Amino acid sequence: MSNTHMKIRMQRLVLPAVIAALAIGAVPCWAQVPTPPSPPSPPSPASPADVPAPPRPPRPPRPPRAWFGGDHGVAKIDTLLPFSSNGTIDLSLVSGTMKVSTWDRNQVRVVASTTGEPSLQLDASSSHLTLEQTRSGSRRGRSDDLGTATYDVTVPNGTRASLAAVSGSINAAGLRGAVDANNVSGSIDLRDLGASVNVEGVSGRITVANVASDAHVENVSGRVSLTGVGGSVTAETVSGGIILTGVRGDRVHVTTVSGDIDFTGSVPSSGRYDFETHSGDARLKLASNTQATLSVETFSGSVSNDFPGAVRRKNSDPDDDSTNYDFIINRGGGRVRVETFSGSVHISKVNQ
């Protein structure tokens, strides 16, 4: 077949297809259906990092503070400040006297002075007060001459107190909050307290009277006297005597190395009382309504009993050098343990 005939045949086959394709594409624009737009995509959830943080609430204003003394202290303070009914005071002095009393006002009155160089500093807010003697003289290159300080502080009844002295006396009365007192050399006298009391001393007399709750007292050298304690009692000394009168709590633990122990009062039926002394004597004057069993042990001391009707029972082991007695008073009930090494034990009835 010649080339001419081949071309003519190809034209006959291809030309109709081209014409059909052109016819399809030649549809008027008004006859063409537009493609609808695709709907918008839903927004993706924001991540926590993209979420704006809520605005911070404004800070409450700081309570106003009173400040006396600067960097080196002042010689005298006499001020009256607003104070919470259950606030806290923190008083400390190097040498002098401290007195704390109460009233029915939401105010604190501070009267303080020193005979030496200006050394008093007071920092107070509406709920916390600090009064102290500072050793400012040493910072100025001179020897300390703090003199003797005198504190007279009056606070609301419900105040809690922390009282400390190096050499001096501490006196507080009427506080309904917890009291913590310590003194290196000097006396401590706490009375009419409505909460627990914790006292530590090194050399000096300690007196605690009329406490509604627990009392814990430690002293190295000096007499300890506790009267009218409504809660448990713990009293320890090295060389000072311990006197307990009218204790009403269920738990009493008294320990001394060379001091005497004097107990006057009743023992509740649920009471557990322990008295220990190495070389001191133990004297128990029991109320007539006491119902208790007394277990007494001594190594070389004597044991005597003047309580009427008490039943004595000896419990000594033949192989034990110590002497052991049980005294059953009014059919027993509470438990009392008395232990000495060389001291004597004497049991009697309170004279009424």
Side-chain angles (χ1 to χ4, degrees):
M1 183 180 296
S2 63
N3 291 334
T4 302
H5 290 99
M6 177 65 69
K7 291 180 179 179
I8 295 173
R9 188 173 180 179
M10 291 296 296
Q11 290 174 355
R12 292 176 178 175
L13 295 174
V14 174
L15 186 60
V18 172
I19 294 173
L22 293 173
I24 295 173
V27 178
C29 62
W30 54 265
Q32 297 180 7
V33 179
T35 303
S38 58
S41 303
S44 58
S47 63
D50 298 330
V51 177
R56 293 182 179 180
R59 292 182 178 179
R62 293 183 177 181
R65 304 184 71 88
W67 171 255
F68 297 86
D71 293 334
H72 302 298
V74 295
K76 184 177 182 180
I77 297 173
D78 189 343
T79 185
L80 179 66
L81 303 169
F83 201 66
S84 171
S85 60
N86 58 353
T88 301
I89 60 172
D90 189 343
L91 311 182
S92 62
L93 56 78
V94 177
S95 175
T97 61
M98 179 188 304
K99 177 185 176 183
V100 179
S101 55
T102 61
W103 58 11
D104 294 325
R105 303 182 192 177
N106 288 344
Q107 294 175 312
V108 56
R109 175 73 186 274
V110 178
V111 179
S113 62
T114 178
T115 60
E117 66 178 30
S119 59
L120 304 179
Q121 288 185 337
L122 171 67
D123 182 12
S125 69
S126 60
S127 60
H128 188 272
L129 179 145
T130 300
L131 175 63
E132 62 180 343
Q133 264 187 306
T134 63
R135 295 181 179 274
S136 57
S138 61
R139 292 197 298 268
R140 293 198 292 264
R142 299 195 304 265
S143 62
D144 288 352
D145 183 17
L146 299 181
T148 300
T150 301
Y151 295 175
D152 191 347
V153 181
T154 307
V155 297
N157 296 327
T159 302
R160 299 180 295 273
S162 176
L163 314 174
V166 176
S167 175
S169 62
I170 297 175
N171 296 269
L175 295 166
R176 293 293 175 261
V179 176
D180 191 329
N182 65 82
N183 199 349
V184 177
S185 176
S187 64
I188 299 176
D189 193 310
L190 308 175
R191 298 177 183 272
D192 304 324
L193 307 179
S196 61
V197 57
N198 182 74
V199 183
E200 295 183 9
V202 177
S203 175
R205 175 178 50 84
I206 296 176
T207 301
V208 177
N210 302 327
V211 180
S213 187
D214 302 337
H216 177 88
V217 180
E218 296 182 16
N219 201 11
V220 176
S221 175
R223 189 188 70 184
V224 171
S225 175
L226 297 107
T227 303
V229 179
S232 63
V233 172
T234 303
E236 302 177 3
T237 71
V238 176
S239 60
I242 301 176
I243 302 173
L244 285 81
T245 305
V247 174
R248 303 184 302 275
D250 288 340
R251 297 292 182 271
V252 172
H253 183 79
V254 176
T255 304
T256 178
V257 177
S258 59
D260 294 342
I261 297 175
D262 288 274
F263 174 85
T264 302
S266 181
V267 179
S269 59
S270 58
R272 298 293 183 269
Y273 289 9
D274 292 331
F275 303 99
E276 301 177 6
T277 177
H278 184 81
S279 59
D281 297 336
R283 293 176 287 268
L284 279 65
K285 297 180 180 180
L286 304 176
S288 58
N289 62 347
T290 298
Q291 295 182 345
T293 298
L294 281 67
S295 299
V296 179
E297 179 178 355
T298 180
F299 182 78
S300 60
S302 62
V303 178
S304 61
N305 169 56
D306 291 333
F307 195 99
V311 179
R312 188 179 76 168
R313 182 175 58 199
K314 189 172 183 179
N315 296 323
S316 296
D317 188 326
D319 297 329
D320 190 352
D321 293 333
S322 63
T323 301
N324 294 269
Y325 290 102
D326 281 350
F327 293 90
I328 302 173
I329 298 176
N330 294 331
R331 294 175 297 181
R335 302 291 300 181
V336 179
R337 185 178 65 89
V338 184
E339 183 176 329
T340 75
F341 182 80
S342 60
S344 300
V345 178
H346 183 67
I347 302 167
S348 64
K349 181 181 176 181
V350 175
N351 295 325
Q352 296 178 338

